[in-house]
Amino acid sequence: MSLRSIYLTAVAAAAIGSLLTACDHREISAGLASDAKVMLVSTLSGSAERPTPVSSPGTGTFVGMFDRSTRVLSYTVTYSGITPVAGHLHRITPNSATGTGPVEIPFAALGSPIIGTATLASQGRADSLINGFYYANLHTTANPGGEIRGNIRLAGPVRLRATMNGASERPATPSLATGTFAGVVDPATRVLSYTVTYSGLSPTAGHLHRINNATTGNGPVEIPFAALASPIIGTATLTTATRVDSLLNGFYYSNLHTPAYPGGEIRGDIRPY
């Protein structure tokens, strides 16, 4: 099968998938065999550039199919409104405060559509790709660091989780309380559904925070919990696609506060899985 055929098959799969509203991503992901192929997508824009968003008329898309058994990625990138001088897939550096990272896969050609294939070097790279730590970036003369970018993610809703404890607080607390966060976010609608459970404490407040300080690893409240009894069940709509990118790239955390620890007694950094 040609790469173009793979791309068209992927697009068709996306269209079919959008109709299967009764399917839950949790069930689909849990049922994937270890050698299953997964579809990856992204929307490229100047506002998604990091560390500084770019005002650009350019737009683009990334669609890929990744074979988890061979670690082969087949992809198509389309764009309009810009004339790129370079293009790559980058891998976000672990613990990066800027959400950026070095080139992993350079594009061999730059005319739209850009069609390519690459084999990821290790299982760790494959895990990073599936968990949202790769992005597509197109560079121009005016913006050599990147004019339009898109964080690559699994097509459809994405599962999220976190383990909450005192050791994860910034700074850490000696609390013996524990908790869990489990959620699903749909990047297309920006709707996040979540459940937080805990034991060993009586919280007086609880929130999801977004990290904006690389030094402390902390950030302001983004989503307050409406109720505090375990299990805490809620739904929220993230305000922008940038917020979704932050959530998928590990910049949100769940935090429960008590009178003894008003800054937070137990915390869990949220990650896709």
Side-chain angles (χ1 to χ4, degrees):
M1 180 181 290
S2 70
L3 291 174
R4 187 177 296 274
S5 297
I6 292 172
Y7 167 64
L8 293 174
T9 300
V11 172
I16 294 170
S18 67
L19 299 176
L20 301 179
T21 55
C23 290
D24 180 78
H25 187 75
R26 181 187 303 269
E27 296 172 356
I28 294 170
S29 178
L32 286 175
S34 61
D35 61 349
K37 293 181 180 180
V38 294
M39 183 177 176
L40 301 161
V41 295
S42 183
T43 299
L44 284 72
S45 67
S47 63
E49 283 290 348
R50 297 291 180 274
T52 305
V54 172
S55 177
S56 171
T59 59
T61 62
F62 171 98
V63 176
M65 292 294 290
F66 181 62
D67 188 322
R68 297 194 296 172
S69 64
T70 62
R71 302 198 303 273
V72 172
L73 170 66
S74 302
Y75 60 87
T76 297
V77 178
T78 64
Y79 64 84
S80 63
I82 61 170
T83 303
V85 295
H88 320 92
L89 299 186
H90 298 246
R91 178 171 176 254
I92 297 172
T93 304
N95 302 316
S96 169
T98 62
T100 61
V103 172
E104 288 269 321
I105 301 170
F107 298 155
L110 293 174
S112 183
I114 301 167
I115 300 175
T117 186
T119 301
L120 274 65
S122 67
Q123 185 58 45
R125 293 301 200 263
D127 291 341
S128 292
L129 176 64
I130 290 174
N131 287 319
F133 287 91
Y134 274 71
Y135 60 94
N137 207 12
L138 292 176
H139 309 256
T140 62
T141 302
N143 293 283
E147 180 155 337
I148 61 173
R149 160 181 166 157
N151 286 6
I152 297 169
R153 57 175 176 78
L154 288 171
V158 179
R159 296 185 299 168
L160 304 159
R161 65 183 174 189
T163 298
M164 302 172 66
N165 51 48
S168 297
E169 284 288 349
R170 304 286 188 274
T173 74
S175 176
L176 299 179
T178 59
T180 62
F181 171 96
V184 176
V185 65
D186 186 338
T189 62
R190 304 195 305 275
V191 172
L192 168 67
S193 301
Y194 60 87
T195 299
V196 177
T197 62
Y198 63 84
S199 63
L201 79 168
S202 297
T204 53
H207 320 93
L208 299 186
H209 298 247
R210 179 170 176 255
I211 298 170
N212 68 353
N213 188 312
T215 301
T216 65
N218 293 320
V221 172
E222 287 270 321
I223 300 171
F225 299 154
L228 292 174
S230 183
I232 301 167
I233 300 174
T235 301
T237 300
L238 278 68
T239 55
T240 65
T242 299
R243 292 301 201 262
V244 175
D245 289 343
S246 293
L247 177 63
L248 295 178
N249 284 301
F251 287 92
Y252 274 71
Y253 60 94
S254 177
N255 208 11
L256 292 176
H257 309 256
T258 62
Y261 299 99
E265 181 164 337
I266 62 172
R267 160 181 168 158
D269 289 358
I270 298 169
R271 296 283 190 274
Y273 74 105

